[in-house]
Amino acid sequence: MAKSSILGYPRIGKHRELKKAVEAVWSGKISEAELAQTASEIRKAAWDAQAAAGLDLIPANDFSYYDQVLDTICLTGLVPARYGAVGETVGLATYFAMARGNDEAPALELTKWFDTNYHYLVPEFDAGTPRLASSKIFDEYAEASAHLGRPAKPVLLGPVSFLLLGKHHTKSLDAHLNELLPVYETVLSRLGQAGAEWLQIDEPTLVQDRSAEELTLFKSAYARLTRVANRPKLMLQTYFESLDGNWETVIGLPVEGIGLDFVRTPENLMLLNRHGFPTNKVLGAGVVNGRNVWRINLEETLSQLEEIAGRVAPERIWVQSSCSLQHLPYDVEQEPELDAEIKPLLAFAEQRLSEIATLTRGLSAGRDAITSEIEANAAVFQTALDSTRIHHQPTQERMRLLDEAAFQRDAPFAERIAKQQRTLKLPPYPTTTIGSFPQTREVRSARARWLKGSLSDADYQAFIRERTAEVVQHQEQIGLDVLVHGEFERTDMVEFFADQLEGYLVTKNAWVQSYGSRCVRPPIIYGDVYRPNPMTVETITFAQSLSERPMKGMLTGPVTMLNWAFVREDRPRSEVANQIALALRDEVVDLERAGIKIIQIDEPALREGLPLRHGDWDEYLNWAVRAFRLASSGVQAVTQIHSHMCYSEFNDIIEAIEALDADVISIENSRSDSELLQAFTDHRYSRQIGPGVYDVHSEHVPETDVMERLLERASTVLDPAQIWVNPDCGLKTRGNAEVWPSLEHMVAAAQALRQQHQELAGV
Ligand code: GLN
Ligand code: ZN
């Protein structure tokens, strides 16, 4: 008989209980014991849901107070000295200090978990010699097994991925690994003693390009770990991509099970068909998507499983999710107002459990055992095929008629910028901001009251207009050259537009963890996307009416609108991106028609959408760039297009950035000055660019001369005529008390540079 399992369950609590409890501990409102109680309830609810669905192998230690990589840092005692001395085990105060920083030490670096929107804390391998310094995995294994009345399946990040995801390697990787392995050996042996039958050991870095030297690390690590006496069997788990060129190495490792992602691409199935599978291993068949929200097509997924069963005996198959369900919201039933036509198509974590159980039954007992489920599922998809909500003919027609001209601006950059300068008449080193101004308590409370119905539409609109007028006036006063309206009407840059576009659903409770206690609610793209009505024109033209200076129209770009959403799977992503681009193009053209001379189309998510394998980069960048161009090319040469990106690492994608053909880009730079200098020393960039000079992640007010230095250094690799002066990112999360003095310093720095520039030019 096949078995069923998942790789991990959401852990923030169905009503974000963990977020609330963790934040309450931080602010001293509850004790650590109360947090531990909440955490235990969340874990038990997860185990109960899986047991109720009939899952065979139920994970333990997939829970985390903050992040599973941070948990591994504690397990191995790799706590950097700046967080103070650590006793036998790492206490919660130190744990949260590493996550968030404290008065003495900044936090560990936070970075993206592969190509998901989850972020992990980066281990530092110069932190000392690894030693066992946490009992979390043993405690949660014991708790789960006692609760379930049978052994749970503990989950652990594997040693090689842990090593490769870290930084500050002061020795050879091999030497670091050799220090790490004794800790893992102890863990294996103690889990074995405690009765664990299997350990799911995650090695997701095996789906990336790996050098021969790195592959050797896996071989030596697993040769050693499998020699531990009385250990649990090892399910070596990979996810997010296929094994590709690493197949042979992985299949040859002496572990008892290998878990593969069969959802992301057809490649793992092709590899399986080509090479077969060892008869002494279990195959973890990840056939149910753990990171998107669409119900499986039962008939198709069962067929895929049957094909897999042609290579591996069913009793050696675990029917699984493709990755941990931590990337999904909890339960579709928590969305009472969800569109009745779309809801049956959706599966969140809880629905995934029954899908996996049904598939396992179908594989073990044969199709006939699940006929009624297959029929009901087919009916859902048939209804979807006929839905005019999903398939919007005019949008499809417009897509068919697209020609190359739609992806091209009217004139080349040099001609455009000259025309733009004649109308905009901006000084050298023009100053601007990225769009949002502080969303104060007052703004958030007005929105909350409006959503609850205690503030009328008219009063809320009036309130937003007052804030807008205030911020416009204030920007003029301090001497900014290009103004913004402040984005007070937006909670989130994607949700604001998703809410107004057809083809998108926004949810109320479908939270997923982004990092630590931060959760996001990605909208769901279910159908053809189009814009029924203008979205920003009224607000932007109102703001423009208050000033003679140019007001930037502010939009979220097509790639970001796609990458920060759950996307339909019945159409290629590139096509969905172009539909969104067309909707935005309509907005851009309307803004131009309404007299707006500068339009900024933000693409903070462009880089993070890069595929996990280098070989796939070009294809992605090609369609991503085309989507941006489709959104931005409907305007005349005289209209200036800006874009904003929240990072400075673009040495490796600079050609794509240039190909966006934006007249001006702004990027993050204040903390990563050297990367920028490197990028522009290596490549010539021909358009205009604002390297951020004000770190918006800190409450610190930067001094004028510090910003001057940054601008001077930028002026050594860029032509001064190319340079704009702006903060790193939007100011939404900052307070007015720091923002205004900082911007005044920024304007003063720009003036100083203008002066130098004029002296140099001999004016
Ligand atoms: N215009 C947005 C803002 O200023 C950009 C935010 C972002 O890049 N993430 O908030
Ligand atoms: Zn940004």
Side-chain angles (χ1 to χ4, degrees):
M1 291 270 273
K3 294 209 163 79
S4 54
S5 189
I6 59 167
L7 313 194
Y9 204 65
R11 58 202 188 198
I12 55 177
K14 263 189 140 168
H15 304 281
R16 286 183 298 156
E17 291 89 341
L18 184 66
K19 172 198 178 65
K20 291 167 197 162
V22 159
E23 289 176 357
V25 164
W26 293 344
S27 59
K29 289 198 196 96
I30 65 167
S31 66
E32 287 187 9
E34 286 168 286
L35 170 62
Q37 181 58 37
T38 302
S40 173
E41 282 160 18
I42 291 172
R43 290 191 292 265
K44 287 178 178 156
W47 297 325
D48 287 341
Q50 295 172 69
L55 257 54
D56 297 310
L57 293 118
I58 298 183
N61 197 42
D62 54 336
F63 175 81
S64 180
Y65 279 128
Y66 201 98
D67 164 42
Q68 66 263 20
V69 182
L70 182 59
D71 295 337
T72 316
I73 292 172
C74 294
L75 177 78
T76 54
L78 285 173
V79 179
R82 63 180 182 275
Y83 303 106
V86 176
E88 199 185 316
T89 57
V90 183
L92 205 57
T94 309
Y95 182 86
F96 286 135
M98 288 191 279
R100 312 169 63 223
N102 59 21
D103 290 343
E104 286 90 57
L108 294 175
E109 187 192 334
L110 187 71
T111 196
K112 281 174 67 75
W113 181 243
F114 299 85
D115 60 351
T116 70
N117 215 345
Y118 178 77
H119 300 69
Y120 74 95
L121 290 156
V122 181
E124 297 178 10
F125 278 89
D126 59 356
T129 309
R131 64 171 178 103
L132 184 66
S134 162
S135 60
K136 178 178 183 288
I137 188 168
F138 312 118
D139 301 342
E140 288 181 19
Y141 169 73
E143 185 191 26
S145 306
H147 186 74
L148 293 164
R150 60 186 156 107
K153 174 187 70 166
V155 177
L156 180 60
L157 178 59
V160 186
S161 291
F162 179 56
L163 183 64
L164 294 174
L165 291 169
K167 64 178 185 184
H168 300 340
H169 300 112
T170 49
K171 308 169 190 169
S172 68
L173 289 176
D174 204 38
H176 280 296
L177 183 64
N178 277 326
E179 290 184 353
L180 213 44
L181 287 175
V183 180
Y184 277 83
E185 286 168 338
T186 309
V187 171
L188 257 61
S189 134
R190 279 187 54 182
L191 284 172
Q193 274 165 33
E197 203 186 322
W198 283 94
L199 171 67
Q200 174 188 316
I201 192 155
D202 288 1
E203 291 285 10
T205 56
L206 278 169
V207 306
Q208 295 167 307
D209 304 312
R210 298 267 72 110
S211 66
E213 188 213 347
E214 289 164 343
L215 288 177
T216 307
L217 298 175
F218 287 98
K219 287 186 211 158
S220 56
Y222 286 91
R224 239 178 101 169
L225 290 181
T226 45
R227 282 201 295 269
V228 172
N230 300 320
R231 61 173 172 85
K233 290 182 249 181
L234 298 184
M235 169 55 82
L236 182 92
Q237 186 64 54
T238 66
Y239 37 86
F240 298 149
E241 248 297 352
S242 75
L243 293 182
D244 195 35
N246 304 334
W247 175 273
E248 226 172 301
T249 304
V250 177
I251 298 301
L253 294 174
V255 292
E256 289 75 20
I258 292 170
L260 302 175
D261 182 334
F262 287 103
V263 169
R264 189 57 175 272
T265 67
E267 204 175 323
N268 270 336
L269 188 53
M270 279 160 45
L271 287 162
L272 178 69
N273 280 326
R274 188 170 329 137
H275 300 289
F277 196 75
T279 50
N280 59 352
K281 284 191 190 355
V282 169
L283 174 68
V287 292
V288 172
N289 199 334
R291 51 186 291 192
N292 206 349
V293 293
W294 304 102
R295 199 169 271 286
I296 52 164
N297 182 319
L298 192 48
E299 170 10 74
E300 278 172 21
T301 310
L302 186 59
S303 302
Q304 194 187 23
L305 265 179
E306 288 165 348
E307 188 177 341
I308 292 170
R311 304 280 159 187
V312 185
E315 57 274 16
R316 285 190 296 104
I317 294 177
W318 293 2
V319 180
Q320 303 196 129
S321 55
S322 63
C323 60
S324 165
L325 303 183
Q326 77 179 97
H327 306 290
L328 290 179
Y330 271 89
D331 185 1
V332 173
E333 295 311 325
Q334 274 186 297
E335 291 295 326
E337 285 166 42
L338 216 54
D339 194 291
E341 217 166 311
I342 310 305
K343 191 170 163 183
L345 289 166
L346 296 174
F348 296 171
E350 187 138 346
Q351 286 68 42
R352 289 292 185 230
L353 300 178
S354 51
E355 290 183 337
I356 290 170
T358 306
L359 281 167
T360 311
R361 228 168 353 114
L363 183 63
S364 295
R367 275 178 182 243
D368 294 347
I370 57 166
T371 318
S372 63
E373 283 91 340
I374 293 178
E375 278 168 10
N377 177 270
V380 168
F381 281 90
Q382 192 50 50
T383 314
L385 270 182
D386 300 336
S387 165
T388 52
R389 299 281 318 286
I390 296 172
H391 308 282
H392 185 248
Q393 286 311 324
T395 300
Q396 289 174 9
E397 188 59 17
R398 197 174 170 198
M399 291 282 292
R400 255 194 305 279
L401 297 175
L402 267 183
D403 61 22
E404 269 315 294
F407 297 87
Q408 301 280 349
R409 296 278 314 254
D410 279 357
F413 171 71
E415 200 177 303
R416 296 194 314 254
I417 201 78
K419 280 194 180 157
Q420 291 162 12
Q421 187 50 20
R422 276 200 293 278
T423 44
L424 294 169
K425 300 194 178 57
L426 294 168
Y429 293 96
T431 54
T432 190
T433 63
I434 307 303
S436 58
F437 268 85
Q439 293 244 335
T440 55
R441 186 188 302 259
E442 194 198 5
V443 173
R444 280 178 286 135
S445 121
R447 180 167 29 243
R449 279 181 290 139
W450 172 60
L451 289 172
K452 268 205 320 241
S454 63
L455 190 67
S456 72
D457 287 359
D459 287 347
Y460 179 66
Q461 297 312 336
F463 171 84
I464 293 290
R465 284 195 164 209
E466 274 166 41
R467 298 289 78 73
T468 307
E470 227 167 60
V471 87
V472 170
Q473 197 191 15
H474 210 150
Q475 291 173 81
E476 266 198 348
Q477 249 166 33
I478 67 162
L480 286 161
D481 300 305
V482 173
L483 311 188
V484 298
H485 76 286
E487 301 182 21
F488 300 109
E489 76 287 14
R490 307 181 186 178
T491 18
D492 174 274
M493 65 188 290
V494 171
E495 195 178 87
F496 174 79
F497 292 98
D499 208 13
Q500 302 186 66
L501 290 168
E502 290 297 331
Y504 268 95
L505 271 182
V506 298
T507 58
K508 282 221 154 50
N509 303 305
W511 297 100
V512 294
Q513 185 183 24
S514 171
Y515 61 88
S517 71
R518 187 170 156 76
C519 303
V520 294
R521 245 177 346 193
I524 298 168
I525 306 177
Y526 63 84
D528 292 331
V529 175
Y530 62 98
R531 185 197 72 149
N533 296 299
M535 304 181 282
T536 62
V537 178
E538 212 180 293
T539 312
I540 306 293
T541 49
F542 166 71
Q544 180 67 87
S545 74
L546 304 170
S547 177
E548 295 293 313
R549 302 192 187 185
M551 179 67 55
K552 276 196 282 193
M554 203 58 67
L555 305 172
T556 303
V559 185
T560 302
M561 287 296 296
L562 181 89
N563 283 346
W564 288 352
F566 290 118
V567 187
R568 66 190 295 191
E569 285 170 340
D570 59 337
R571 288 274 192 284
R573 288 173 82 83
S574 55
E575 192 182 318
V576 181
N578 278 345
Q579 290 188 357
I580 304 169
L582 280 175
L584 289 167
R585 182 185 177 98
D586 294 345
E587 188 74 10
V588 169
V589 169
D590 280 350
L591 283 167
E592 178 187 62
R593 220 174 269 151
I596 303 303
K597 298 191 169 60
I598 304 184
I599 299 161
Q600 179 172 313
I601 306 173
D602 293 330
E603 285 291 20
L606 178 74
R607 189 174 211 293
E608 65 181 55
L610 281 171
L612 292 172
R613 289 174 188 283
H614 237 283
D616 301 328
W617 279 25
D618 278 353
E619 192 216 335
Y620 164 77
L621 286 171
N622 182 42
W623 65 252
V625 165
R626 280 174 64 80
F628 182 90
R629 293 173 65 128
L630 181 58
S632 57
S633 296
V635 286
Q636 298 163 27
V638 70
T639 298
Q640 189 165 77
I641 297 289
H642 289 216
S643 186
H644 166 71
M645 283 146 231
C646 306
Y647 42 81
S648 53
E649 313 93 346
F650 53 60
N651 220 334
D652 49 359
I653 57 165
I654 197 152
E655 279 159 34
I657 303 285
E658 183 113 39
L660 293 175
D661 202 19
D663 300 305
V664 182
I665 60 168
S666 59
I667 59 168
E668 182 174 300
N669 171 60
S670 70
R671 286 186 303 179
S672 42
D673 192 35
S674 48
E675 284 182 60
L676 174 95
L677 297 180
Q678 194 55 50
F680 293 110
T681 311
D682 296 351
H683 308 265
R684 229 185 57 80
Y685 186 73
S686 68
R687 284 140 232 242
Q688 300 197 344
I689 174 165
V693 291
Y694 162 20
D695 177 6
V696 305
H697 304 292
S698 155
E699 351 186 305
H700 175 72
V701 175
E703 293 305 330
T704 306
D705 58 340
V706 175
M707 296 198 259
E708 268 181 67
R709 294 299 89 74
L710 286 170
L711 290 170
E712 279 163 8
R713 274 204 298 278
S715 308
T716 63
V717 289
L718 292 159
D719 179 349
Q722 286 177 279
I723 301 177
W724 282 64
V725 180
N726 48 255
D728 275 343
C729 192
L731 303 166
K732 178 170 157 176
T733 57
R734 291 267 65 86
N736 282 305
E738 326 110 49
V739 158
W740 294 103
S742 303
L743 292 178
E744 284 178 36
H745 293 175
M746 189 184 88
V747 171
Q751 278 159 354
L753 265 287
R754 271 171 216 164
Q755 195 88 38
Q756 289 179 22
H757 183 61
Q758 279 169 355
E759 280 160 16
L760 273 179
V763 185

